[in-house]
Amino acid sequence: MPAVLSTAPDKIVHKQFPVTGMSCAGCAANVESTLKRQPGVANAAVNFAAQSVLVDFDPKTISPQGLKQAVQSVGYDLVVEETAAAKKVLDDTRHQQYTSLRRRTIWAVILAIPLGVLGMFFMHLPYVGYISWALATPLVAWLGRSFFVNAWKQARHRSANMDTLVALSTGVAYLFSVFNLLFPEFWLSRGLEAHVYFEAAGIVITFILLGRLLEERAKAGTASAIKKLMGLQAKTVTIVHHGGHTMEIPVEQVQPGNLLLVRPGEKVPVDGTVREGSSYVDESMLSGEPVPVAKSPGDAVLAGTVNQNGSFQFVAEKVGADTLLAQIIRQVEDAQGSKAPVQKLVDRIAGIFVPVVMGIALLAFGAWWAFGGPNGFTHGMLALVTVLVIACPCALGLATPTAIMVGVGKGAQKGILIKDAESLEMAKRIQAVVLDKTGTITAGKPAVETWKWADGADVAYWTNVVFTLEQNAGHPLADAVVANLKEQAKPVILGRVESITGKGVYGEYRGQAIYAGNRTLMLEHKLELPEPLRKQADSWSAVAKTVIFFANHEQVLAVAAIADPVKPESAEAIRTLQQMGIEVHLLTGDNRQTAAAVAAQVGIEQFRAEVLPADKEKYVQELQGQGKVVAMAGDGINDSQALARADVSIAMGKGSDIAMDVAKMTLIGNDLNKIPDAIRLSRRTVAAIRQNLFWAFIYNLVGIPIAAGLLFPVNGFLLNPMLAGAAMALSSVSVVANSLRLKWVA
């Protein structure tokens, strides 16, 4: 991920670095605390989901290389190199790690199924212990080796994480089982049975791998949005030298003041002002508005926008990191790399769960050995293994991913794609929903609503003429007219056709001039506008509809109202959200009249018009500053900053790939009713997660003391490791069963 730099007056640098080697929230806390202890570091915030850290530091006191060495000293790594080659190596490494994890998880499931069946139902068959040993060995030693490697790294640096507990519990259960299988007489001579717990070790490894894979899949798309935003930037540009000759150069070489040429279909490379020529430019990736904007000398053009049908020359003004597109990229990057607003309950307690369990296991062993009499060592060893087996974080590890799997699957059936558990946790708390107008509340495509013809006009005759004229115009508004008339009109043969930038189109039919365009075009040619048509046009303009005029060489013959129609389901969805106690806000880059008309049509009281992408993000921040949990729904690149900043981001499924990458939820089919559906699904899924975590914690709180032998002085009960393994399995089954309920209740 590219680093982000900004130097404050006090010389403190704010910089983002990718972190490698983190496997749980305990790792993130370790990296964060290590960096905060370094001299010259003002603050550090690790985002485990984004695998990155934002550091505020004084470069005179500590360098990025010094930060890297500090992180390496506790078993992780910091990527401080900013070259393209270093970034490619980082991307390749992460892809290889994900591929390896996926392969290991698949093999673990293949081996764990027969291992579990043997351990639970066929444990008394001949040689079943040796078969289980053969199945468990690759599971523990090969597929689960990363847990042991990471646990050893943590031990070397005098720390522990969830990998430590997984490695200890599965390792002890495995070694204990091997000992019991090879030397059963040790226990039989002491009046105890020699049980094996290979299935406990193997299935624990499988479940934890599965949870890790689900987590990695959720995090996999973090950087793709940034890559696609960067893909909007032009790679090369045509520079116009003195004398008029042109040359193609890399965009990095452009300097402010250079004169640049943009041909039809090319991207505008940097921000600037048109000097010569005219065209229409598609600015929808920045403004969100579907209609291309006419550009003529003196007008501003922005990097990343796409030129349509004309050529023009413009003077470069803002280049590189100063362009609007580059600022959007940087702000999306900052928002994605910022610390998550909600930390999962399992992650919050990970730092204390591991050492506490290890301490209880060792304490139980020591107490039994010291005070347990002749069989104290034997009972102590059994208690140690039982505590580690029963406390294995299997139920804890399953609590969230199983509910997420079912909830996400149910969401997919309803056309709601949910990216991660964090968005599900947050969605149930939504207090305000901010909606983009174009493509979210409206269809996102201009359409003709109605026509009004002059009295006495031959409608059928002139319909064919205006249809053919607009077919040759090559403009989205003309396309709307063509789409509206195509079922009833037939093409005719026109003479000369000429597009008039920013005004409309001129043509000739049977030797007479014909026009289609805006009011300015009609006034320029002094064409008579009948009073009924003028009143109708004024009425439509008052409610923010675009009016197209069609005229022959004498007078205006017809007017058409064009608008971006509100989707039929929008008003119902907004009403449902309001009934759920959620505020609904509307933002648009369009004018205030249009915004007010759409807001009134769908029942929204709070709206803001003529907003830029950065303004949308600020609006979201304003609501968050009032203590509200904010959801943002949009479909365009212009929404990506606000989407990245929102607590819950929702992309409309027919929008841009970038909006969908940044967003934590994507609605397939553009139906706004899926937003309240998603919130209801979130509430039920989070309820299931909390129930799972509650029972998993209760299980540990009750099970661990019993496993340590707490009841032995009272009634002589000492939990057998086999029963501990069964209890562990039962806790996992109960968690899975509770999650599966979502299939029928969500």
Side-chain angles (χ1 to χ4, degrees):
M1 185 178 291
V4 180
L5 278 170
S6 65
T7 306
D10 57 359
K11 306 303 181 184
I12 291 292
V13 170
H14 178 73
K15 195 167 184 179
Q16 181 174 301
F17 302 98
V19 184
T20 62
M22 296 191 300
S23 60
C24 71
C27 301
N30 197 354
V31 171
E32 191 170 292
S33 61
T34 299
L35 286 171
K36 285 180 176 179
R37 289 196 301 268
Q38 303 308 307
V41 174
N43 191 33
V46 174
N47 184 335
F48 176 56
Q51 296 284 289
S52 65
V53 59
L54 283 167
V55 188
D56 296 335
F57 66 99
D58 181 355
K60 291 183 178 178
T61 306
I62 187 168
S63 66
Q65 197 62 36
L67 298 172
K68 179 184 178 79
Q69 292 171 358
V71 172
Q72 286 177 332
S73 72
V74 289
Y76 309 97
D77 202 1
L78 207 63
V79 180
V80 298
E81 297 80 7
E82 299 179 49
T83 63
K87 290 165 189 168
K88 185 177 186 304
V89 169
L90 177 64
D91 289 341
D92 291 344
T93 301
R94 286 179 171 171
H95 178 71
Q96 290 168 6
Q97 289 172 345
Y98 175 79
T99 303
S100 172
L101 176 60
R102 184 173 178 272
R103 184 173 59 249
R104 285 187 288 130
T105 303
I106 292 171
W107 274 108
V109 171
I110 292 171
L111 292 173
I113 291 173
L115 180 62
V117 171
L118 287 174
M120 293 176 69
F121 303 109
F122 303 102
M123 62 193 75
H124 299 299
L125 290 178
Y127 304 109
V128 71
Y130 289 95
I131 298 172
S132 296
W133 185 14
L135 289 169
T137 298
L139 261 170
V140 174
W142 172 43
L143 303 173
R145 69 186 183 279
S146 61
F147 298 112
F148 296 93
V149 171
N150 291 337
W152 173 245
K153 285 182 180 177
Q154 295 301 311
R156 286 175 55 202
H157 297 102
R158 297 180 182 179
S159 62
N161 61 7
M162 293 295 276
D163 287 339
T164 307
L165 190 56
V166 174
L168 274 176
S169 57
T170 56
V172 169
Y174 176 82
L175 293 174
F176 188 67
S177 299
V178 170
F179 179 84
N180 291 355
L181 182 65
L182 298 178
F183 307 104
E185 297 83 6
F186 179 86
W187 301 108
L188 294 173
S189 64
R190 291 164 172 77
L192 299 168
E193 289 188 57
H195 291 288
V196 294
Y197 310 100
F198 291 118
E199 75 282 355
I203 291 174
V204 163
I205 292 285
T206 303
F207 279 143
I208 301 301
L209 283 173
L210 184 60
R212 293 274 168 88
L213 181 65
L214 292 171
E215 190 173 20
E216 289 302 317
R217 284 184 62 183
K219 295 187 296 188
T222 302
S224 60
I226 302 298
K227 290 178 182 176
K228 287 180 180 175
L229 276 172
M230 289 177 172
L232 293 173
Q233 297 172 312
K235 302 295 186 291
T236 59
V237 59
T238 303
I239 187 169
V240 182
H241 291 295
H242 296 297
H245 69 277
T246 61
M247 179 185 296
E248 197 168 273
I249 62 171
V251 71
E252 293 83 5
Q253 295 180 13
V254 175
Q255 299 294 324
N258 287 159
L259 185 63
L260 308 175
L261 171 66
V262 182
R263 300 183 180 92
E266 292 183 344
K267 294 174 183 175
V268 177
V270 297
D271 294 358
T273 301
V274 177
R275 174 181 287 182
E276 183 181 316
S278 63
S279 182
Y280 285 92
V281 175
D282 180 358
E283 296 185 341
S284 60
M285 65 284 297
L286 296 177
S287 69
E289 300 310 315
V291 180
V293 180
K295 298 294 181 181
S296 55
D299 292 333
V301 288
L302 300 170
T305 57
V306 181
N307 185 29
Q308 298 285 286
N309 53 8
S311 296
F312 61 87
Q313 296 179 8
F314 76 102
V315 178
E317 294 175 349
K318 293 182 178 179
V319 302
D322 294 329
T323 66
L324 181 61
L325 178 60
Q327 290 171 26
I328 292 174
I329 292 171
R330 187 161 59 247
Q331 288 169 5
V332 170
E333 195 173 53
D334 274 347
Q336 284 194 328
S338 61
K339 202 171 182 67
V342 174
Q343 296 294 336
K344 301 175 185 67
L345 185 56
V346 176
D347 290 340
R348 286 203 297 266
I349 62 107
I352 60 170
F353 184 75
V354 177
V356 166
V357 169
M358 292 168 58
I360 292 173
L362 291 172
L363 186 63
F365 173 73
W368 275 105
W369 193 5
F371 308 110
N375 291 323
F377 179 83
T378 303
H379 288 316
M381 191 66 183
L382 284 171
L384 183 144
V385 173
T386 306
V387 167
L388 290 175
V389 168
I390 205 168
C392 189
C394 190
L396 289 173
L398 281 172
T400 297
T402 53
I404 295 302
M405 284 177 70
V406 179
V408 167
K410 192 71 176 180
Q413 290 176 8
K414 296 179 176 231
I416 304 163
L417 302 184
I418 302 166
K419 189 174 284 186
D420 59 21
E422 181 189 322
S423 57
L424 265 180
E425 282 184 300
M426 189 65 74
K428 73 177 290 292
R429 298 172 48 203
I430 290 172
Q431 296 165 290
V433 173
V434 178
L435 301 175
D436 174 53
K437 177 182 74 69
T438 305
T440 302
I441 295 176
T442 66
K445 186 177 181 180
V448 174
E449 290 188 346
T450 186
W451 287 84
K452 183 171 179 63
W453 290 86
D455 294 338
D458 187 342
V459 175
Y461 175 86
W462 289 113
T463 293
N464 295 335
V465 176
V466 68
F467 173 76
T468 309
L469 181 64
E470 294 287 44
Q471 271 189 321
N472 290 277
H475 187 279
L477 294 180
D479 293 342
V481 173
V482 172
N484 178 255
L485 298 178
K486 66 181 179 181
E487 299 296 331
Q488 63 196 81
K490 296 179 181 179
V492 296
I493 298 173
L494 300 180
R496 184 165 63 98
V497 177
E498 179 184 336
S499 179
I500 305 170
T501 301
K503 297 172 186 175
V505 62
Y506 159 81
E508 293 177 357
Y509 180 60
R510 294 184 177 178
Q512 293 184 352
I514 50 174
Y515 305 88
N518 57 24
R519 193 187 297 250
T520 303
L521 183 64
M522 304 298 115
L523 293 172
E524 281 184 359
H525 291 274
K526 299 181 173 57
L527 298 169
E528 180 188 343
L529 179 59
E531 187 63 17
L533 297 189
R534 186 191 64 76
K535 286 183 177 179
Q536 186 62 77
D538 291 344
S539 173
W540 285 336
S541 297
V543 291
K545 298 186 190 303
T546 300
V547 181
I548 295 295
F549 297 79
F550 171 63
N552 62 10
H553 66 289
E554 294 178 340
Q555 70 164 57
V556 176
L557 298 172
V559 289
I562 296 182
D564 183 8
V566 171
K567 290 185 285 190
E569 67 277 3
S570 293
E572 179 191 349
I574 289 163
R575 186 166 55 251
T576 302
L577 287 168
Q578 291 167 339
Q579 289 169 352
M580 295 169 72
I582 297 170
E583 296 177 9
V584 183
H585 303 251
L586 182 151
L587 297 182
T588 179
D590 215 334
N591 61 66
R592 183 173 177 81
Q593 276 185 314
T594 301
V598 171
Q601 192 173 342
V602 297
I604 295 177
E605 295 181 2
Q606 296 157 299
F607 67 90
R608 190 171 291 181
E610 299 176 2
V611 292
L612 294 172
D615 298 327
K616 293 184 179 182
E617 183 188 12
K618 287 177 184 174
Y619 192 87
V620 169
Q621 286 180 302
E622 285 174 18
L623 293 175
Q624 289 171 328
Q626 298 168 18
K628 294 171 183 172
V629 177
V630 181
M632 169 72 192
D635 72 327
I637 295 165
N638 63 304
D639 301 317
S640 57
Q641 287 172 249
L643 286 168
R645 184 64 62 187
D647 299 304
V648 179
S649 45
I650 303 169
M652 309 308 291
K654 292 183 180 176
S656 72
D657 289 343
I658 292 161
M660 287 185 271
D661 278 340
V662 172
K664 296 297 180 69
M665 293 186 185
T666 298
L667 308 183
I668 300 172
N670 271 3
D671 185 351
L672 273 185
N673 279 306
K674 290 174 184 173
I675 294 180
D677 285 347
I679 294 171
R680 283 190 286 262
L681 177 66
S682 164
R683 290 174 178 175
R684 289 169 181 148
T685 305
V686 172
I689 292 173
R690 290 182 173 178
Q691 290 160 6
N692 289 347
L693 291 174
F694 172 79
W695 288 112
F697 284 127
I698 288 295
Y699 156 80
N700 277 294
L701 288 172
V702 173
I704 290 174
I706 293 175
L710 190 66
L711 294 180
F712 188 81
V714 178
N715 57 14
F717 178 77
L718 188 62
L719 185 64
N720 189 296
M722 185 181 71
L723 293 177
M728 184 272 293
L730 184 62
S731 71
S732 303
V733 171
S734 67
V735 163
V736 174
N738 188 51
S739 297
L740 290 174
R741 282 191 318 111
L742 285 170
K743 286 190 175 182
W744 296 281
V745 302

